[in-house]
Amino acid sequence: MSYKNIYLLYVVRLVASLSFIGGILVPFYTEWAGMEESIIPLIQLWFMVWAALLEVPTGAVADYISRKVSIVSGLLLVGVGFIVYIVRPELVFFLLGELIIAIGVALISGADESLMYDSLLQMGEQEKATKISSRSGTFGMFGLLLGAPIGSLIAANYNYPLVFILTGVTSLLAMIIALFLKEPKVHEKEIVEGIGYFHTLTTGLQILWKHTNVKQLDFDLAIVHALSATIIWMNQIALTSVLVPIAWFGFISSSGILTEIVVANLIDPFERRWGTLRVARWTTVWSAVGLLMVGLGVLLNNQWVVLVGIMPPFSILIGRKSMMRAQVNHHISSGQRATVLSAI
């Protein structure tokens, strides 16, 4: 197998990540829908709960049926979800849209990383997993980098619903590109006829529970990534509290994404020079310092402390996640790969 799958996944990640809503979520809810800020985290919590509950079942779907089918179906649902979102400025449509998007995201999560790793495994180049995964994440961040300020400008000059419609369209375009992916033969060989879906599901969970190295990597990745990702959901509320103008939100998000891109391209050489464990420890400390600065900046009502504090948690999200997932992949077989990654 050539690098065709890898290149296609890069393009899919880039197009699917052209999310124009990154810079306008808070004003979308407060201005267009007329909601209180306190409801926004609850809507996002609804999404996260469903995404978490559906991760493992959809990961097993990718292992049992096809990673390609899982990715294509997920992108379709994400596109539909964004369009459902703006039918009317009412909570019921927001919750329905978030549910559909959560199902789509869960179908993609784990499946894309599994297809990428198995493609490398088939070529005998699995040692490049951290580098390739980080690069893929970089393409995704370029999409967000372009999308956030464009979305802010569209909202300012037209309306908020159009931003959501265009975001849905990009997901549907990514789905069309994903149709050209090819399932790696490494995975096809591990699909055993007569083995049911629930056997695939339980086998993957047993690996996660019983394999000491996988469990330790799982805990580290999940906790640190969750704490760092909090800044993505909460930074606009923090910025609003210290009176940063909304017009700057998209550009601040893009600055955070730039830090992700820089660190993602440094993580592989850092890992080769200092080792996975040392890099994992230092990036954890780096992220924690940033989160503390955001909290301190809000308490002191200092815009600059908040702005600086946002960047470290942003910076580690791609590279560190790619590094840790590569370590997990080295310990599991193709037949359970998507289930384990999705569970994490």
Side-chain angles (χ1 to χ4, degrees):
M1 176 179 286
S2 67
Y3 270 82
K4 180 182 176 181
N5 264 0
I6 305 299
Y7 297 144
L8 281 172
L9 285 168
Y10 287 165
V11 178
V12 168
R13 184 68 67 86
L14 173 64
V15 176
S17 298
L18 280 170
S19 176
F20 303 114
I21 66 172
I24 56 95
L25 273 178
V26 170
F28 167 80
Y29 289 119
T30 57
E31 296 178 16
W32 189 69
M35 292 183 171
E36 297 292 331
E37 271 191 8
S38 59
I39 300 176
I40 299 172
L42 298 178
I43 296 173
Q44 302 307 319
L45 179 62
W46 166 267
F47 166 81
M48 293 305 298
V49 168
W50 280 111
L53 290 174
L54 293 167
E55 276 284 359
V56 179
T58 54
V61 167
D63 282 333
Y64 180 63
I65 301 176
S66 163
R67 281 77 183 273
K68 176 181 174 178
V69 169
S70 189
I71 294 169
V72 169
S73 301
L75 289 167
L76 173 62
L77 287 172
V78 170
V80 171
F82 276 114
I83 294 170
V84 168
Y85 217 99
I86 47 83
V87 172
R88 293 183 67 179
E90 296 178 4
L91 181 61
V92 63
F93 291 103
F94 298 161
L95 296 180
L96 179 59
E98 292 282 7
L99 175 59
I100 296 171
I101 294 169
I103 297 171
V105 168
L107 282 165
I108 299 166
S109 175
D112 56 350
E113 190 82 13
S114 297
L115 194 146
M116 181 177 293
Y117 188 87
D118 281 341
S119 297
L120 290 171
L121 185 62
Q122 187 167 317
M123 294 184 290
E125 298 187 16
Q126 60 270 29
E127 75 281 355
K128 296 182 179 179
T130 297
K131 179 180 179 180
I132 297 298
S133 181
S134 294
R135 187 174 294 171
S136 176
T138 299
F139 274 91
M141 289 302 102
F142 271 120
L144 292 173
L145 182 65
L146 294 171
I150 292 174
S152 296
L153 293 173
I154 293 172
N157 290 282
Y158 296 96
N159 54 63
Y160 292 116
L162 180 59
V163 179
F164 276 73
I165 291 172
L166 292 176
T167 301
V169 169
T170 60
S171 184
L172 297 176
L173 179 58
M175 177 202 71
I176 294 172
I177 298 170
L179 291 172
F180 295 94
L181 291 167
K182 185 175 181 181
E183 195 74 25
K185 293 182 179 178
V186 170
H187 179 237
E188 290 178 349
K189 290 178 181 178
E190 291 207 15
I191 299 177
V192 181
E193 293 185 11
I195 298 297
Y197 166 79
F198 287 102
H199 181 273
T200 303
L201 175 64
T202 55
T203 302
L205 291 176
Q206 285 173 3
I207 292 174
L208 185 63
W209 180 253
K210 295 181 179 180
H211 199 300
T212 303
N213 288 334
V214 172
K215 191 189 301 185
Q216 290 174 346
L217 290 164
D218 166 22
F219 182 79
D220 179 285
L221 199 160
I223 296 299
V224 176
H225 185 73
L227 290 173
S228 296
T230 300
I231 207 66
I232 292 179
W233 298 105
M234 302 301 290
N235 80 86
Q236 290 181 16
I237 292 176
L239 292 169
T240 300
S241 71
V242 293
L243 304 179
V244 174
I246 291 174
W248 289 97
F249 283 13
F251 296 97
I252 293 168
S253 294
S254 295
S255 298
I257 291 166
L258 278 174
T259 67
E260 287 188 76
I261 292 171
V262 170
V263 174
N265 284 279
L266 293 173
I267 205 78
D268 180 58
F270 283 172
E271 184 186 19
R272 284 187 278 109
R273 181 170 182 177
W274 289 303
T276 304
L277 183 60
R278 187 174 294 179
V279 175
R281 286 174 177 170
W282 278 108
T283 49
T284 300
V285 173
W286 175 246
S287 178
V289 168
L291 287 169
L292 290 172
M293 286 184 67
V294 172
L296 182 62
V298 171
L299 288 174
L300 298 176
N301 195 31
N302 188 306
Q303 293 180 348
W304 288 108
V305 174
V306 172
L307 287 170
V308 173
I310 286 171
M311 299 306 154
F314 253 110
S315 70
I316 71 163
L317 288 174
I318 301 177
R320 191 181 195 280
K321 182 178 179 181
S322 297
M323 179 183 70
M324 301 303 284
R325 282 197 167 197
Q327 293 300 315
V328 172
N329 274 318
H330 295 332
H331 293 289
I332 54 180
S333 62
S334 177
Q336 291 78 41
R337 195 178 310 285
T339 304
V340 174
L341 291 178
S342 292
I344 294 174

